[in-house]
């Protein structure tokens, strides 16, 4: 239900690996002032009036700084944006990178021809470069004027988003005050029943099941589809099943470290016994063709979605499977009630406590961020637009459609009052369709709003997404805020170079060890990666990240 809700997550709910660009300037703690170009809004004096979205036209350019995502070319292509254009006088002109986001951003920065708003990974070095160059608009004054972000974003979380000058430049996506996330495993319902509905809990049981899938269906079905293995996603889930309290975040390009609880520090990923063991398991699946053979060549979710929609995937592992699996479930179950997908509790190595296995993590700051550049003619109006999206009305319309259909008004807790005409199937379709433009999601608001209605229904009648969020994913995600924030060295520094080089080693190692021909070769590859990384300053990077991790924990009161 979110973009990289994991991501990010990524987040989360969200796992994104960034590329550092050549020719970057040295870091500085004394950034140039960021005054909006062609703007009469002063950052020193607050305007007395508050602009209301829809009271006048708002047109601006927007760009998603990701290799795997472009914002819709036309607002009419997505229900929520279509509503905004027709009812709120909003016209968004999107810029598409078409997979070349690194080159495009470099060109835009060099030409000083930036979009008005950029949606991207908050750990991306380019966000910091824009800040250092004085190309970002500070949001503090706007946050005081407009109600929603200030109300819903925890003060500690807001402080952790601030840049070296103490100001806020990033409007977060999917920030939260409670566990969230959607990473995990999805199982093909029809195939599962045809194979006798076996118990699926341990890694050994997963292996046996995948063998049965291959024996029965041959090349017709992919036993295990590892989503975005090129970024470690579907493979990273497996890693977390081989160690209690492991962080999926450990495989993120801006972390690449495991928590050494005994010594209260961050340690090398390459020497982690659980990583060695999990990669041996992955390579075994690869050798026996139980896992997608093209997993390291797919760079977007188009081919994966096609496989899911056609029912050709037995088990799907992803940091954010829900938007894709729910859409496929709706399509398949429409044709055949016995078809579709369901989510299961995360797999774990036999002997481990299944309640201490976390395939994903949640970040109080969310996954992605929006920044407004000095190219914007009306930066305050763009902030008001984002603030509307993250507030009750904007969130409800994204999830349930315009008022008057599935909902009518808000109750005393600002939650939607659902009508007798509420259509669960339509709501699922609305949510899936709006997912690509959920760029200022407010988890703290929408999750309780969803669950108020869903939990009152029998389990089998609940919305697919809400059903598995409540029963599986929210219970199997760990707080990774301290491990996900401020661990990216400033661009242009020696540590930044080390981070890039170690990331390159990790990506090559991940692919090589996942496709290794034997367990012995996996150990050999990971041992060599450790030597190569240490030669490039990996230990110094780990020490630096440990200091900031401990500072984050202190700030969060952990």
């Amino acid at each position: 239900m979110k973009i990289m809700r994991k991501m990010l997550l990524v987040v989360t709910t969200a796992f994104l690996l960034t590329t550092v660009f050549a020719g970057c300037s040295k870091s500085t703690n004394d950034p140039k002032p960021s005054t909006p170009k062609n703007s009469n809004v002063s950052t020193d004096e607050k305007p007395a009036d508050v602009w209301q979205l829809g009271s006048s036209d708002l047109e601006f350019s927007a760009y998603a700084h990701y290799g795997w995502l472009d914002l819709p070319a036309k607002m009419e292509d997505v229900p929520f944006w279509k509503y905004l254009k027709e009812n709120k006088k909003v016209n968004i002109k999107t810029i598409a990178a078409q997979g070349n986001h690194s080159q495009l951003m470099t060109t835009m920065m060099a030409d000083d021809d930036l979009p008005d708003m950029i949606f991207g990974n908050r750990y991306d070095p380019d966000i910091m470069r824009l800040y250092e160059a004085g190309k970002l608009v500070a949001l503090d004054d706007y946050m005081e004027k407009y109600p929603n972000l200030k109300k819903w974003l925890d003060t500690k979380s807001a402080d952790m988003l601030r840049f070296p000058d103490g100001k806020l430049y990033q409007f977060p996506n999917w920030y939260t005050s409670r566990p969230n996330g959607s990473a995990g495993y999805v199982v093909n319902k029809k195939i599962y029943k045809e194979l006798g509905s076996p118990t699926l809990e341990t890694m050994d049981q997963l292996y046996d099941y995948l063998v049965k899938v291959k024996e029965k269906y041959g090349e017709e079905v992919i036993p295990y589809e590892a989503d975005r293995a090129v970024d470690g996603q579907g493979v990273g889930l497996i890693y977390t099943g081989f160690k209690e309290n492991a962080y999926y975040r450990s495989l993120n390009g801006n972390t690449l470290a495991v928590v050494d609880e005994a010594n209260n520090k961050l340690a090398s990923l390459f020497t982690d016994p659980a990583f060695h063991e999990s990669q041996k398991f992955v390579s075994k699946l690869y050798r026996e063709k139980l896992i997608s053979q093209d997993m390291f060549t797919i760079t977007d979710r188009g081919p994966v979605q096609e496989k899911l929609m056609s029912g050709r995937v037995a088990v799907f592992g992803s940091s954010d499977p829900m938007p894709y699996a729910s859409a496929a479930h709706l399509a398949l179950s429409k044709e055949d009630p016995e078809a579709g997908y369901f989510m299961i509790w995360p797999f774990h190595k036999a002997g481990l406590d299944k309640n201490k296995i976390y395939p994903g993590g949640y970040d109080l700051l969310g996954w992605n961020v929006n920044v407004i550049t000095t190219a914007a003619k009306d930066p305050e109006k763009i902030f008001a637009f984002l603030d509307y999206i993250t507030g009750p009305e904007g969130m409800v319309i994204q999830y349930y459609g315009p008022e008057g259909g599935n909902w009518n008004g808000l109750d005393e807790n600002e939650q939607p009052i659902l009508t007798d005409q509420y259509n669960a199937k339509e709501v699922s379709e609305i949510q899936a369709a709006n997912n690509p433009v959920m760029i200022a999601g407010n988890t703290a608001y929408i999750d309780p709003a969803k669950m108020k209605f869903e939990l009152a229904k029998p389990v089998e009648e609940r919305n697919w997404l809400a059903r598995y969020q409540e029963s599986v994913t929210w219970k199997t995600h760990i707080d990774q805020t301290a491990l996900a924030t401020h661990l990216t060295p400033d661009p242009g520094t020696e540590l930044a170079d080390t981070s890039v080089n170690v990331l390159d080693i990790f990506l090559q190692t991940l692919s090589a060890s996942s496709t290794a021909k034997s367990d012995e070769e996996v150990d050999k590859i990971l041992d060599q990666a450790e030597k190569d990384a240490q030669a490039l300053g990996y230990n110094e990077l780990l020490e630096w990240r440990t200091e900031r991790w401990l500072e984050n924990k202190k700030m969060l009161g952990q």
Side-chain angles (χ1 to χ4, degrees):
M1 289 311 306
K2 59 187 185 309
I3 299 176
M4 281 304 281
R5 187 172 176 179
K6 340 109 41 278
M7 352 278 303
L8 1 230
L9 352 172
V10 260
V11 20
T12 77
T13 29
F15 185 92
L16 300 170
L17 302 170
T18 56
T19 304
V20 175
F21 297 84
C24 58
S25 61
K26 291 288 182 180
S27 171
T28 175
N29 288 327
D30 185 21
K32 298 176 183 178
S34 50
T35 303
K37 185 186 296 184
N38 301 323
S39 174
N40 294 321
V41 177
S42 169
T43 57
D44 297 321
E45 297 180 9
K46 286 186 183 179
D49 59 313
V50 174
W51 184 73
Q52 183 74 31
L53 184 68
S55 62
S56 60
D57 292 342
L58 171 61
E59 181 175 290
F60 63 94
S61 57
Y63 161 67
H65 188 41
Y66 287 115
W68 55 272
L69 171 71
D70 283 324
L71 295 172
K74 297 185 298 181
M75 294 189 69
E76 294 82 1
D77 292 341
V78 182
F80 182 55
W81 273 19
K82 180 180 180 181
Y83 171 86
L84 291 174
K85 184 170 185 177
E86 295 176 351
N87 296 274
K88 298 295 182 181
K89 302 180 181 179
V90 177
N91 186 27
I92 302 174
K93 296 183 175 180
T94 59
I95 298 170
Q98 297 180 331
N100 297 313
H101 67 299
S102 299
Q103 300 91 321
L104 179 57
M105 178 63 85
T106 300
T107 300
M108 292 190 297
M109 292 174 69
D111 295 343
D112 194 18
D113 185 19
L114 296 168
D116 299 329
M117 189 190 82
I118 298 173
F119 174 72
N121 180 1
R122 81 170 188 266
Y123 315 109
D124 196 306
D126 283 331
I127 300 295
M128 181 59 72
R129 289 196 184 95
L130 289 169
Y131 159 76
E132 291 175 341
K135 297 300 181 181
L136 299 183
V137 176
L139 308 179
D140 301 75
D141 287 347
Y142 305 149
M143 187 174 177
E144 290 299 316
K145 288 182 62 177
Y146 295 88
N148 293 315
L149 185 61
K150 182 179 179 180
K151 175 179 179 178
W152 294 100
L153 180 63
D154 179 76
T155 301
K156 288 183 179 179
S157 298
D159 288 343
M160 292 189 74
L161 278 173
R162 297 185 183 280
F163 278 171
D165 65 355
K167 295 181 180 180
L168 185 70
Y169 293 87
Q170 303 173 102
F171 197 111
N173 186 34
W174 296 122
Y175 54 94
T176 184
S177 57
R178 52 182 286 163
N180 64 4
S182 60
Y185 302 92
V186 175
V187 177
N188 186 303
K189 180 180 174 182
K190 192 167 187 177
I191 292 174
Y192 180 70
K193 286 187 176 181
E194 290 177 351
L195 290 176
S197 303
T199 299
L200 289 179
E201 294 182 356
T202 68
M203 288 295 175
D204 291 337
Q205 290 168 343
L206 170 62
Y207 171 78
D208 292 341
Y209 182 73
L210 299 181
V211 169
K212 292 178 180 177
V213 170
K214 183 184 176 185
E215 289 175 348
K216 182 174 179 62
Y217 301 98
E219 296 183 357
E220 180 184 346
V221 172
I222 297 127
Y224 181 79
E225 182 68 40
D227 187 31
R228 290 193 62 80
V230 67
D231 291 343
Q233 293 193 18
V235 173
L237 295 185
I238 292 176
Y239 161 70
T240 63
F242 280 87
K243 182 169 67 173
E244 293 178 1
N245 300 313
Y247 286 89
Y248 174 71
R249 177 78 197 182
S250 290
L251 278 69
N252 185 279
N254 293 296
T255 305
L256 289 181
V258 298
V259 174
D260 180 352
E261 295 181 355
N263 297 296
N264 200 29
K265 68 176 186 178
L266 300 183
S268 171
L269 171 66
F270 302 121
T271 60
D272 183 8
F275 188 50
H276 279 246
E277 190 173 8
S278 68
Q279 285 304 99
K280 290 175 184 178
F281 183 80
V282 172
S283 67
K284 181 181 180 180
L285 297 184
Y286 186 83
R287 291 194 300 272
E288 298 182 19
K289 296 185 178 180
L290 302 178
I291 195 170
S292 178
Q293 300 292 288
D294 61 355
M295 61 181 175
F296 285 103
T297 60
I298 295 177
T299 58
D300 65 76
R301 286 196 169 100
V304 174
Q305 182 70 350
E306 186 278 326
K307 296 176 187 177
L308 290 170
M309 295 292 287
S310 61
R312 294 189 295 112
V313 174
V315 180
F316 177 49
S318 171
S319 66
D320 187 21
M322 287 189 159
Y324 314 97
S326 64
H329 174 79
L330 285 171
L332 291 173
S333 61
K334 183 185 297 184
E335 298 295 326
D336 180 359
E338 296 300 313
Y341 295 92
F342 65 95
M343 203 159 197
I344 62 170
W345 200 264
F347 296 105
H348 64 279
K349 176 184 174 182
L352 299 183
D353 185 345
K354 71 174 186 178
N355 295 311
K356 294 182 180 179
I357 301 299
Y358 303 101
Y362 67 94
D363 189 333
L364 297 176
L365 305 178
W367 281 263
N368 331 87
V369 293
N370 301 272
V371 294
I372 302 172
T373 76
T374 54
K377 181 180 180 181
D378 296 306
E380 180 176 347
K381 291 183 179 180
I382 297 176
F383 182 92
F385 161 81
L386 293 170
D387 198 68
Y388 171 83
I389 290 176
T390 209
E393 182 179 310
M395 290 303 302
V396 172
I397 294 174
Q398 290 180 77
Y399 272 75
Y400 299 102
E403 184 175 13
N406 294 300
W407 67 285
N408 189 17
L410 304 177
D411 64 18
E412 66 277 6
N413 296 316
E414 297 187 277
Q415 293 180 344
I417 300 172
L418 303 182
T419 67
D420 293 338
Q421 288 75 44
Y422 179 87
N423 185 319
K425 179 181 175 183
E426 180 185 57
V427 167
S428 294
E429 292 173 345
I430 289 171
Q431 292 172 11
N434 285 329
N435 183 68
V437 298
M438 290 182 177
I439 60 175
N442 180 348
T443 305
Y445 170 79
I446 198 62
D447 281 355
K450 289 189 300 183
M451 288 305 149
K452 174 188 175 183
F453 179 73
E454 293 297 331
L455 294 181
K457 298 187 296 184
V459 173
E460 63 276 6
E461 295 179 11
R462 292 175 187 171
N463 172 279
W464 195 95
L465 293 153
R467 175 180 179 179
Y468 292 114
Q469 284 175 328
E470 188 277 332
S471 63
V472 178
T473 65
W474 292 350
K475 296 177 180 179
T476 57
H477 280 56
I478 191 170
D479 185 350
Q480 63 181 18
T481 308
L483 197 62
T485 308
H486 302 152
L487 269 65
T488 306
D490 290 341
T493 62
E494 185 175 343
L495 279 176
D497 292 339
T498 299
S499 179
V500 174
N501 292 331
V502 172
L503 172 56
D504 288 341
I505 291 173
F506 168 72
L507 291 175
Q508 295 169 19
T509 300
L510 184 70
S511 175
S513 59
S514 295
T515 57
K517 297 179 180 179
S518 67
D519 288 353
E520 292 74 19
E521 186 177 350
V522 170
D523 284 330
K524 182 179 179 180
I525 291 170
L526 295 181
D527 291 344
Q528 186 61 50
E530 170 68 6
K531 293 179 182 178
D532 294 343
Q534 292 297 347
L536 293 170
Y538 186 31
N539 190 58
E540 289 76 11
L541 179 63
L542 287 172
E543 290 178 348
W544 181 85
R545 283 180 169 161
T546 294
E547 291 178 4
R548 275 132 195 87
W549 171 63
L550 293 174
E551 290 173 0
N552 289 339
K553 290 179 68 177
K554 183 178 180 181
M555 185 179 296
L556 292 167
Q558 298 178 351

